[in-house]
Amino acid sequence: MPEEWPIAASADRNAPARAAGRSRLSTVRADFFLDPAERLTEQERALMTAMLHCLVGDIAGEIGAALPAGRAGANDDDAAMVGALTQAGLLDDSELMALLLRRADEERIGTAARARSGRREARAIQGLVSHHNGAVSAAAMGLILARGRRRDRFGQCLLGFDDLSHEAAARLVLAVAAALRRDVAATAGTAAADNELSAAADRLLERHEPARSIEALTGALVALLDDSGGLTDELLLACAQEGEVGFLAEVLGRRAGISGTVALDELLSGKAQQMMALLRVAGFSRELSAGLLASVGDLLGIDDPGAAIGLFDGMSGDEVKAAASWIAAPPAYRAALEALGNGNG
């Protein structure tokens, strides 16, 4: 089993006693009967919570900075704001939570893979900065710099505002603006607060650029490498050894004709059949696929790489075509079929 990461903060023994009694019963029942294999680990919860707090705090800071002088006192307590938004259900956004979970998975896999390879940093991507193709070199540098901006001074993984889609960004920005209203209205009145916060939110959203997201920058680098013949098996295996699942997902998505996000979902499914189908659809060779499994198969939930390769070998041409049709279908369509109990296979 891979070692857990990073060490979660220990419980505060001096914290006040938690509420007891039947008022918690509905929450306790829901939590008690969750599948242990599906629950967040303490490390995942800690990382996702930290990323969410930082993101909300950054957005509150940007909105506050756009307000007239003397109006920005509401963003001093990020924890209180996150608590209020959570209580109101405004952070229970499926897209936002999916992105937080994706980053947590990428961090877990990357940290574990580099730890056992003896590497503290992702050298495969860094090495592309010296690529003979100037466009590839520039794209690699852009990705590295963007990753650096998504680390705090302690090396903690962060979520960038541009990593959100326009729709998710708008929902979150407007929710944060609404949470700031009470303090702003206390000094300016409700009408002025509504006008000023709406304008500040609009200005922030005008600067939102998904093309600067980690996924977009990674996809651009992969496209340039592919066009220049640089997506070699050696590079992909080096990335696998360093746990670069986001990069591998973009490669698989490009080769399979699907988005990198869909490819990553298949990679992180923990199901050998889905993962092997993706590799076959993407046209990965048996040798490359076996190398990927040997490098990070266990971190992707594949306990028996030999059995997985057996599935890879056993897929017929018709089965590969069926798998290609399934993964290319719209995610909402696939989710609806699975909810109806009529998923793939």
Side-chain angles (χ1 to χ4, degrees):
M1 292 291 290
E3 186 174 324
E4 292 280 12
W5 56 270
I7 302 302
S10 58
D12 183 359
R13 297 184 180 182
N14 297 316
R18 299 182 64 189
R22 297 180 63 84
S23 62
R24 297 173 56 208
L25 187 56
S26 61
T27 302
V28 168
R29 288 175 60 190
D31 182 71
F32 188 81
F33 290 105
L34 289 175
D35 184 348
E38 300 290 335
R39 296 186 67 189
L40 291 173
T41 65
E42 290 303 317
Q43 290 78 13
E44 287 172 328
R45 184 181 298 277
L47 178 55
M48 291 172 67
T49 299
M51 287 191 289
L52 182 60
H53 277 242
C54 288
L55 179 62
V56 168
D58 288 346
I59 291 173
E62 291 288 339
I63 293 175
L67 296 174
R71 303 275 206 269
N75 63 334
D76 294 336
D77 190 348
D78 297 341
M81 179 178 293
V82 170
L85 292 171
T86 300
Q87 284 290 104
L90 294 173
L91 296 181
D92 188 10
D93 184 296
S94 60
E95 186 176 338
L96 173 61
M97 295 306 297
L99 185 54
L100 288 169
L101 182 59
R102 170 178 179 151
R103 289 290 183 270
D105 281 332
E106 290 174 336
E107 184 74 357
R108 170 183 61 83
I109 294 167
T111 300
R114 289 191 295 272
R116 66 190 183 190
S117 68
R119 301 176 182 178
R120 298 186 62 184
E121 297 178 346
R123 299 176 186 172
I125 301 298
Q126 288 181 347
L128 294 174
V129 173
S130 60
H131 198 277
H132 62 84
N133 184 306
V136 169
S137 175
M141 178 59 73
L143 176 59
I144 291 168
L145 292 174
R147 287 178 170 185
R149 288 191 293 270
R150 287 161 176 79
R151 296 279 173 182
D152 64 15
R153 63 183 182 276
F154 303 111
Q156 173 73 53
C157 178
L158 302 175
L159 187 64
F161 179 55
D162 289 328
D163 293 339
L164 300 169
S165 70
H166 279 307
E167 296 76 15
R171 290 192 296 269
L172 186 56
V173 166
L174 294 173
V176 171
L180 292 169
R181 182 180 189 260
R182 184 184 66 180
D183 287 356
V184 176
T187 59
T190 57
D194 290 339
N195 289 333
E196 292 171 3
L197 287 167
S198 296
D202 286 343
R203 285 194 290 273
L204 177 56
L205 288 170
E206 286 173 359
R207 302 201 306 272
H208 177 252
E209 185 49 74
R212 295 194 296 257
S213 71
I214 289 296
E215 286 73 22
L217 293 172
T218 304
L221 174 59
V222 166
L224 289 168
L225 282 166
D226 199 19
D227 292 342
S228 64
L231 285 180
T232 63
D233 286 3
E234 291 76 15
L235 174 62
L236 297 182
L237 287 173
C239 287
Q241 290 168 3
E242 295 177 0
E244 288 279 1
V245 290
F247 183 88
L248 293 173
E250 292 295 335
V251 174
L252 286 163
R254 183 173 176 83
R255 296 279 176 85
I258 58 177
S259 72
T261 299
V262 172
L264 187 66
D265 287 342
E266 297 298 301
L267 271 182
L268 300 179
S269 67
K271 299 176 181 178
Q273 184 70 49
Q274 288 182 224
M275 192 184 304
M276 295 305 101
L278 174 63
L279 295 175
R280 287 292 304 269
V281 171
F284 275 32
S285 69
R286 185 184 193 279
E287 292 72 21
L288 176 56
S289 299
L292 296 179
L293 285 173
S295 299
V296 290
D298 59 328
L299 299 177
L300 297 174
I302 306 301
D303 297 326
D304 189 343
I309 281 295
L311 293 172
F312 181 95
D313 292 337
M315 289 188 71
S316 67
D318 288 341
E319 287 174 329
V320 173
K321 289 180 181 179
S325 297
W326 173 251
I327 62 176
Y333 172 79
R334 294 171 59 188
L337 283 176
E338 289 169 349
L340 293 168
N342 192 25
N344 191 32

